[in-house]
Amino acid sequence: RPEEMEAAFEDYGVMINSGEFTGLPSREGIERVASRLREMGKGGKTVSYRLKDWLISRQRYWGAPIPMIHCEKCGYVPVPEDQLPVRLPEGIRDFRPKGRSPLADVPEFIETKCPVCGGPARRDPDTMDTFVDSSWYHLRYIDPRNEEMPFDPEKAEAWMPVDQYIGGAEHATKHLIYARFIHKVLYDAGLLKTKEPYLHLFTQGLVLKRFFWCNHCLRVVEENEIEKGIHKACGNPIEERLEMMSKSKGNIVPVGPFVEKHGADTARITILFAGPAEKDMEWTDAGVEGARRFLNRIWRLYSKHRDKLRGEIPDFDPEKLSKEEKDLYIALQKTIFEVRKDSSEFHFNTALARLMELLTAMSRFKKTDSPVFLRSLRDYIVLLAPFAPHLSEELWHWTGAESSVFSNRFPEYDPRYTRGELTEIAVQINGKVRARLQVQRGLEEKQVLDLALKEENVRRHLQGKNIRKTIYVKDKLLNIVAG
Ligand SMILES: [Zn+2]
Ligand SMILES: [Zn+2]
């Protein structure tokens, strides 16, 4: 009975007191009630949004002016298209708040003619919320120099939607709602062919830093100002906190001095290695120290072998290598495989762990004139580049290259030697099995096809034929249709 109830039951359960629906699991009952209501013409299912109106005007100078004109006779009229965009007046010095928009005090901007009657009129003094701009920047980026329109719909069709969006968690409740709204308006207007602007969202964690706080002085306190947990200056106990780095709190690491002392690569490695990218990370001196040590180890290894970095690397057959060489070769293949895989899943910390392991293997390797060692040195630079771009660019130039390290393709691995459970893939040509491949699980169709085409028997049966089509059942079967 209602008077005995303490709270609403919010889970799924079994329906009671519901006539013909009594006894149904509520998950199913909800559907049945909804469809019955629709049959009766009395209701049905709908999605309800908790969206509110979006007030876009701001009383600020910095922003896109609202392209509207106030005329006493004609009312509120839009600026004609051939006068767009309305640009901000330059040379404004006074931005102090006066209870109205700063542009209201710039007569040469405000005073204009009414585009309808030609009489004296006033521009709207407000500017737009910057969320208006950020709602469609992904579209302008693909056509930034277009003078005629915001973007060319053909280019949008080629590029949209954005495959991967990366941003803080706060994006999900603000920017992305606005951006989706604008995108859908443009879709309805026929300018876009995709209903959604972004396919995937990745929200990275925050950078936290531990600090000491005096609740009396209301400020961050340095370690040398503390004695036995007491703020020496005021005699009050201090509090240890772990919070997001922020300028207002003062628990930040100033970028300029840090980069000067440790280099930007150290900052990147510190952050990327601290933990999974979607989790908050704690910035610590130990983390910085570890990152620096790693980069220094790389530097020392390459300095030692600098004279070996230039020139062609001789071809070699992995099956004819010595034990030591083959071990390094396999370690390299596994590292390439895992760095590719981990990076594509945003697991930069584990990718870096693999790079550290390979560095150890390379540092211990004895036969340093072996082509396997030279290959490892070369590939390692490219593998490292996304994580430590400055160092790897420098090392890449040691190889005699004129171009950037980023003009390389990311190294490919030899799937015969990468870790993972093995599987057997039957390779068929026109439905008949012509080879069986022992490979590690999870390969993509193209990789399997490449391997299949190396098989003697497959080649023989494809001789003089064109591959029309391939059908791939992951980890099991590749059927090549040829004729
Ligand atoms: Zn008018
Ligand atoms: Zn204090």
Side-chain angles (χ1 to χ4, degrees):
R1 290 178 301 170
E3 58 273 24
E4 289 167 9
M5 292 180 183
E6 285 167 14
F9 181 73
E10 294 178 341
D11 289 332
Y12 288 107
V14 175
M15 295 176 74
I16 56 166
N17 302 337
S18 303
E20 62 186 288
F21 303 105
T22 297
L24 280 178
S26 60
R27 225 181 262 268
E28 187 190 336
I30 288 167
E31 298 298 323
R32 298 260 296 262
V33 169
S35 57
R36 174 61 54 85
L37 284 169
R38 183 166 297 118
E39 279 166 31
M40 294 162 67
K42 288 192 173 171
K45 279 174 76 171
T46 184
V47 178
S48 55
Y49 298 95
R50 286 195 297 169
L51 289 181
K52 294 174 188 157
D53 286 345
W54 176 15
L55 178 74
I56 62 162
S57 60
R58 295 290 180 273
Q59 291 72 53
R60 292 182 194 141
Y61 171 78
W62 292 110
I66 294 176
M68 297 294 286
I69 291 171
H70 300 265
C71 171
E72 295 223 332
K73 261 195 267 167
C74 313
Y76 200 31
V77 295
V79 174
E81 214 169 309
D82 61 0
Q83 291 169 28
L84 294 177
V86 177
R87 292 187 191 281
L88 284 173
E90 287 177 33
I92 308 297
R93 291 282 171 269
D94 184 9
F95 304 104
R96 279 171 301 172
K98 299 182 197 71
R100 61 181 181 274
S101 201
L103 290 178
D105 294 324
V106 186
E108 61 274 27
F109 174 80
I110 284 293
E111 285 162 21
T112 185
K113 279 199 190 100
C114 170
V116 179
C117 70
R122 295 172 65 79
R123 288 188 190 281
D124 196 292
D126 287 357
T127 54
M128 283 187 253
D129 181 358
T130 49
F131 277 124
V132 176
D133 309 291
S134 59
S135 287
W136 65 284
Y137 76 90
H138 56 286
L139 296 165
R140 185 63 182 176
Y141 276 12
I142 59 180
D143 199 8
R145 287 180 229 297
N146 195 327
E147 296 281 329
E148 305 302 316
M149 41 197 332
F151 59 90
D152 179 346
E154 271 180 33
K155 287 189 182 168
E157 192 179 348
W159 286 98
M160 286 295 121
V162 173
D163 295 285
Q164 179 69 55
Y165 202 96
I166 300 175
E170 78 287 353
H171 280 67
T173 55
K174 287 186 177 151
H175 162 63
L176 293 176
I177 291 177
Y178 300 125
R180 289 180 68 208
F181 170 74
I182 295 284
H183 195 96
K184 283 164 188 288
V185 168
L186 294 170
Y187 171 83
D188 288 345
L191 290 166
L192 293 173
K193 292 252 158 74
T194 56
K195 281 192 177 180
E196 291 287 346
Y198 316 117
L199 290 181
H200 301 281
L201 169 67
F202 179 82
T203 55
Q204 83 278 16
L206 302 169
V207 180
L208 310 177
K209 192 164 184 295
R210 215 167 275 280
F211 61 100
F212 299 109
W213 180 261
C214 176
N215 255 326
H216 180 78
C217 305
L218 296 177
R219 67 172 179 88
V220 173
V221 176
E222 299 300 325
E223 237 159 309
N224 58 19
E225 299 177 80
I226 303 165
E227 210 176 274
K228 291 185 182 133
I230 298 292
H231 187 201
K232 286 190 271 185
C234 69
N236 287 286
I238 60 103
E239 198 183 305
E240 189 177 351
R241 293 187 181 177
L242 177 63
E243 284 176 26
M244 180 174 92
M245 274 194 195
S246 88
K247 228 177 195 162
S248 59
K249 259 177 238 122
N251 62 332
I252 53 163
V253 176
V255 174
F258 183 91
V259 167
E260 212 152 283
K261 190 170 170 203
H262 301 284
D265 284 352
T266 304
R268 291 174 65 93
I269 301 285
T270 304
I271 289 172
L272 294 175
F273 190 57
E278 69 276 13
K279 295 256 169 64
D280 293 350
M281 66 143 309
E282 183 182 349
W283 179 279
T284 63
D285 290 344
V288 173
E289 202 36 58
R292 247 201 108 120
R293 239 184 350 251
F294 170 53
L295 294 170
N296 283 339
R297 279 173 63 208
I298 298 170
W299 181 258
R300 281 199 302 274
L301 179 73
Y302 278 81
S303 300
K304 196 168 146 194
H305 300 291
R306 186 167 180 167
D307 57 323
K308 300 192 184 81
L309 290 171
R310 284 172 178 265
E312 288 283 295
I313 299 170
D315 277 338
F316 55 87
D317 178 352
E319 286 305 308
K320 290 182 183 137
L321 297 170
S322 71
K323 166 93 171 60
E324 190 200 15
E325 288 173 303
K326 192 166 174 184
D327 284 349
L328 181 63
Y329 182 75
I330 292 173
L332 175 64
Q333 303 315 311
K334 286 179 177 176
T335 305
I336 296 172
F337 173 77
E338 300 204 344
V339 168
R340 292 186 82 108
K341 181 169 163 293
D342 289 352
S343 300
S344 68
E345 294 164 355
F346 293 89
H347 298 156
F348 305 117
N349 57 326
T350 51
L352 272 169
R354 298 292 89 78
L355 285 172
M356 291 173 185
E357 284 167 16
L358 181 59
L359 182 67
T360 303
M362 281 157 61
S363 304
R364 287 180 186 154
F365 193 80
K366 304 237 169 50
K367 213 182 146 213
T368 56
D369 56 350
S370 158
V372 179
F373 185 67
L374 303 179
R375 170 52 51 206
S376 304
L377 283 177
R378 197 72 67 87
D379 283 357
Y380 196 90
I381 301 172
V382 184
L383 290 172
L384 181 70
F387 304 92
H390 301 87
L391 176 58
S392 36
E393 191 74 85
E394 175 68 18
L395 299 179
W396 184 247
H397 285 269
W398 287 9
T399 67
E402 302 275 322
S403 55
S404 163
V405 66
F406 290 102
S407 59
N408 288 293
R409 291 189 63 83
F410 212 61
E412 298 280 350
Y413 57 89
D414 183 340
R416 291 173 296 172
Y417 301 98
T418 49
R419 182 160 53 195
E421 211 186 326
L422 291 180
T423 182
E424 188 179 275
I425 296 180
V427 180
Q428 300 181 338
I429 296 172
N430 296 333
K432 286 204 178 99
V433 177
R434 299 300 181 189
R436 291 182 187 279
L437 302 173
Q438 301 283 337
V439 296
Q440 143 260 331
R441 285 181 186 280
L443 294 192
E444 298 301 326
E445 176 167 344
K446 197 192 160 298
Q447 295 170 304
V448 175
L449 181 63
D450 286 348
L451 286 176
L453 294 177
K454 285 183 185 149
E455 292 289 315
E456 192 68 52
N457 201 35
V458 171
R459 283 199 203 174
R460 206 172 58 232
H461 283 92
L462 284 175
Q463 230 159 40
K465 291 180 183 146
N466 289 321
I467 297 177
R468 295 259 155 87
K469 191 175 144 188
T470 54
I471 300 151
Y472 179 51
V473 182
K474 199 159 193 173
D475 296 336
K476 291 204 174 77
L477 176 122
L478 178 74
N479 187 12
I480 302 172
V481 181

